[in-house]
Amino acid sequence: MEKWSLMTVTVLLALTVRWAVSLGSYSGAGKPPMYGDYEAQRHWQEITYNLPIRQWYFNTSDNNLLYWGLDYPPLTAYHSFVCAYIAKLINPDWVALHTSRGYESQPHKLFMRATVFVADLLVYIPAVILYCFSLKETSAKKKASTCALCILLYPGLILIDHGHFQYPLSLGLALWAVLCLSHDWDLLGSVAFCLALNYKQMELYHSLPFFCYLLGKCFKKGLKGKGLVLLAKLAGTVLVSFAACWLPFGTDVEQIMQVLRRLFPIDRGLFEACMFSSPTHCPDKVANIWCSLSVLIKIKNVISPRTQLKLSFAVTFLSLLPACIKLTVQPSLRAFKFALVSCALSFFLFSFQVHEKSILLVSVPVCLIINEIPFMATWFLLVSTFSLLPLLLKDGLLLPYAVTTPAFLAACLASFSILEKTSAEDLQLKAFSLSLKGYVSWFKSFPRIVRSLFLLSLSLMGALSVLSAALPPPQRLPDLFPVAVAVVSCLHFLLFLLYFNVVILWDSKNKGQKKIS
């Protein structure tokens, strides 16, 4: 009973923080004609409720795709329809075709916020709680609740879901998939991940670790026996899951092709949300390599769109290849979780059409290993939240950002004493340090160096946050601060990518892992 009491307090605190953030502004509030992501979600409810399925993804007189046209997989559309059905019962004006465009009212805001709360309570939060209880390292009552507290207080996800406005369903389903795999429920895990992927196509960031881990398990079991049976079951499960999700569209090939064109608009080229046409014009600031390089080199003016895509694919593939090979050859749950982080970060840094919110696809897997490397996980989660600053300022979420970020840091300091866990062993770098012994004389000072870099990083992020919020930028460089935030965050992420790959490639022990048989 005591462990559930502690967890109940943790969940209530997490919900209170979410409720407080939801009282503030949201994306595009009072900013016609396009408004923002809040209006996009409302508009999808309008479209899915009033139009037949065959028109959801097509441009028609009733569905102008240039105005927040549906560009997520079928499960997002089905979810929008369910929300719209409930909205229609409460107030038909909320989802009336055409006339509801840009609808804003306090009751409607309450309804929309409530739908996010329900998604959190039904999908994301239960997955976090069960995951924390399942960790061997957190078997103690207090450890499980404190681990859950740090994950549930991660400010990036709270500010985007309950501030900016977004549903946590794809990430929650992905968490359920990880939880299932951790209990060797491979088929259920496959179903959960297929649902996540069919809710948001960005779950492709996590697809290769899932594929390589399960394929590696099949290899270990032997492809002439149990491994072949498992492989056949997994293939069947994936096919059935996708068929169920796409069934309403499966009768018409053109329907399927149109949905795919909406999901993957490759004709837009490398840049979608981060087109740095000049240092003085920066619509959205994404902390990936292409947007950061475009400050100095106008990539879109030097390389053709098709070459940009090929370059992006090649760099992304090469950056995630080492982790995927290691995971396939030596599958373990620990390696799987680290590969989720590494591969998602590679996609964020090097793939095309990346949105700043996509960093959450890296952050949630990092939350899963916060009990193993609390110092580095906390550092990464703080940087990921900082990278969202330009978007948060645009949405009027400065105060929630300024409160939740220090609160999260305080929770991690209290729960894990992170500043005391900076040795090579604590950072999972012992094997790597031994391989460098005799070559790197300063490794004995490693903990002190790491702590100093962490404090320097916090100071830099704090200073840029204050400058971004308090000072007007120079007239000639109106996007100076957002660009600085993006570049500083990108440099951090590159170093984190190197770190996570070192941990993966030098890990040969896989401590505490169940033997695959």
Side-chain angles (χ1 to χ4, degrees):
M1 287 298 294
E2 184 183 350
K3 66 178 181 180
W4 287 109
S5 298
L6 288 171
M7 193 61 76
T8 301
V9 172
T10 296
V11 172
L12 289 176
L13 178 58
L15 289 176
T16 301
V17 173
R18 283 160 167 74
W19 171 77
V21 171
S22 71
L23 295 176
S25 182
Y26 52 81
S27 173
K31 297 178 181 178
M34 293 300 290
Y35 301 93
D37 282 3
Y38 175 94
E39 167 62 11
Q41 296 285 351
R42 189 217 58 78
H43 181 63
W44 295 344
Q45 295 174 19
E46 170 195 346
I47 293 301
T48 54
Y49 187 83
N50 291 287
L51 301 182
I53 289 179
R54 64 180 180 274
Q55 294 184 25
W56 286 358
Y57 291 91
F58 281 89
N59 193 56
T60 67
S61 58
D62 289 327
N63 185 21
N64 181 7
L65 294 182
L66 295 179
Y67 184 80
W68 298 117
L70 190 58
D71 55 4
Y72 283 130
L75 278 189
T76 290
Y78 305 151
H79 176 233
S80 295
F81 176 80
V82 172
C83 292
Y85 184 84
I86 300 171
K88 178 81 171 181
L89 296 176
I90 300 172
N91 188 341
D93 291 341
W94 293 351
V95 290
L97 189 62
H98 300 310
T99 59
S100 64
R101 179 174 292 193
Y103 192 99
E104 292 181 304
S105 71
Q106 196 60 34
H108 184 253
K109 176 186 174 182
L110 179 62
F111 167 76
M112 294 290 280
R113 294 298 198 193
T115 60
V116 180
F117 264 88
V118 170
D120 241 347
L121 282 169
L122 293 181
V123 180
Y124 183 76
I125 291 178
V128 171
I129 293 171
L130 292 177
Y131 175 80
C132 291
F133 277 134
S134 71
L135 293 173
K136 291 182 179 180
E137 296 87 349
T138 56
S139 56
K141 306 180 186 76
K142 183 180 177 182
K143 285 288 186 179
S145 59
T146 54
C147 184
L149 178 65
C150 291
I151 296 176
L152 293 176
L153 288 186
Y154 166 55
L157 194 63
I158 295 174
L159 293 170
I160 293 299
D161 287 353
H162 297 272
H164 174 84
F165 198 88
Q166 180 175 276
Y167 291 102
L169 287 174
S170 63
L171 291 171
L173 289 168
L175 268 182
W176 277 104
V178 174
L179 183 63
C180 288
L181 294 192
S182 69
H183 288 87
D184 287 329
W185 302 334
D186 296 332
L187 300 185
L188 281 177
S190 298
V191 171
F193 184 70
C194 286
L195 293 177
L197 186 56
N198 280 287
Y199 190 89
K200 276 192 177 179
Q201 65 270 34
M202 283 79 78
E203 278 298 325
L204 285 170
Y205 282 35
H206 301 145
S207 59
L208 281 175
F210 274 92
F211 174 79
C212 293
Y213 174 67
L214 291 172
L215 182 63
K217 288 189 72 171
C218 293
F219 287 154
K220 288 290 184 182
K221 289 175 179 288
L223 286 182
K224 293 184 179 179
K226 293 181 178 179
L228 182 60
V229 174
L230 177 59
L231 184 62
K233 288 181 178 179
L234 290 170
T237 299
V238 171
L239 289 174
V240 170
S241 299
F242 268 81
C245 291
W246 287 73
L247 186 61
F249 303 92
T251 57
D252 186 352
V253 175
E254 181 55 28
Q255 279 276 343
I256 296 175
M257 295 307 298
Q258 175 63 10
V259 176
L260 292 176
R261 282 192 290 267
R262 293 296 299 163
L263 300 187
F264 305 104
I266 59 175
D267 291 339
R268 298 179 189 174
L270 179 63
F271 301 100
E272 178 192 36
C274 53
M275 296 172 64
F276 283 11
S277 55
S278 73
T280 61
H281 179 64
C282 178
D284 288 300
K285 299 82 188 170
V286 184
N288 73 351
I289 192 69
W290 308 119
C291 296
S292 298
L293 284 177
S294 290
V295 176
L296 301 174
I297 306 170
K298 303 302 172 284
I299 296 177
K300 69 188 189 78
N301 295 333
V302 177
I303 305 174
S304 67
R306 190 155 295 276
T307 304
Q308 292 171 18
L309 295 179
K310 291 179 180 178
L311 176 64
S312 171
F313 175 82
V315 177
T316 305
F317 178 75
L318 290 174
S319 67
L320 54 80
L321 191 59
C324 289
I325 292 175
K326 179 70 181 292
L327 181 60
T328 306
V329 174
Q330 297 179 358
S332 70
L333 187 61
R334 181 176 181 277
F336 167 63
K337 290 188 287 186
F338 274 87
L340 283 174
V341 175
S342 175
C343 291
L345 188 52
S346 291
F347 270 102
F348 179 82
L349 284 169
F350 305 118
S351 64
F352 63 96
Q353 297 179 7
V354 175
H355 195 282
E356 58 263 56
K357 293 183 296 184
S358 297
I359 193 60
L360 298 179
L361 292 158
V362 190
S363 300
V364 170
V366 171
C367 287
L368 301 183
I369 55 176
I370 195 170
N371 63 301
E372 295 189 49
I373 48 167
F375 177 82
M376 294 300 284
T378 301
W379 192 356
F380 180 92
L381 294 172
L382 289 171
V383 176
S384 68
T385 304
F386 169 73
S387 73
L388 296 167
L389 180 61
L391 178 64
L392 299 175
L393 289 176
K394 186 167 64 175
D395 291 340
L397 295 169
L398 174 62
L399 180 59
Y401 166 79
V403 174
T404 57
T405 304
F408 170 74
L409 175 58
C412 292
L413 285 168
S415 300
F416 295 108
S417 304
I418 59 173
L419 293 178
E420 299 174 10
K421 297 182 178 179
T422 56
S423 67
E425 187 172 2
D426 289 325
L427 301 182
Q428 310 290 328
L429 293 174
K430 187 174 182 180
F432 178 70
S433 66
L434 290 174
S435 69
L436 295 179
K437 195 171 183 180
Y439 297 94
V440 183
S441 58
W442 49 263
F443 224 95
K444 291 182 179 180
S445 305
F446 184 72
R448 180 173 53 82
I449 294 172
V450 170
R451 283 194 296 269
S452 299
L453 290 174
F454 175 68
L455 295 175
L456 178 63
S457 171
L458 289 186
S459 301
L460 180 58
M461 291 189 291
L464 277 175
S465 296
V466 172
L467 290 173
S468 299
L471 290 183
Q475 193 169 8
R476 290 180 59 251
L477 299 170
D479 291 312
L480 175 63
F481 296 136
V483 170
V485 169
V487 172
V488 168
S489 300
C490 180
L491 292 174
H492 277 83
F493 293 147
L494 286 170
L495 292 174
F496 279 117
L497 179 64
L498 176 63
Y499 164 75
F500 286 120
N501 273 285
V502 167
V503 172
I504 292 169
L505 296 178
W506 265 264
D507 176 36
S508 59
K509 295 183 179 180
N510 294 325
K511 293 181 180 179
Q513 300 301 307
K514 290 182 288 186
K515 184 179 179 182
I516 297 173
S517 58

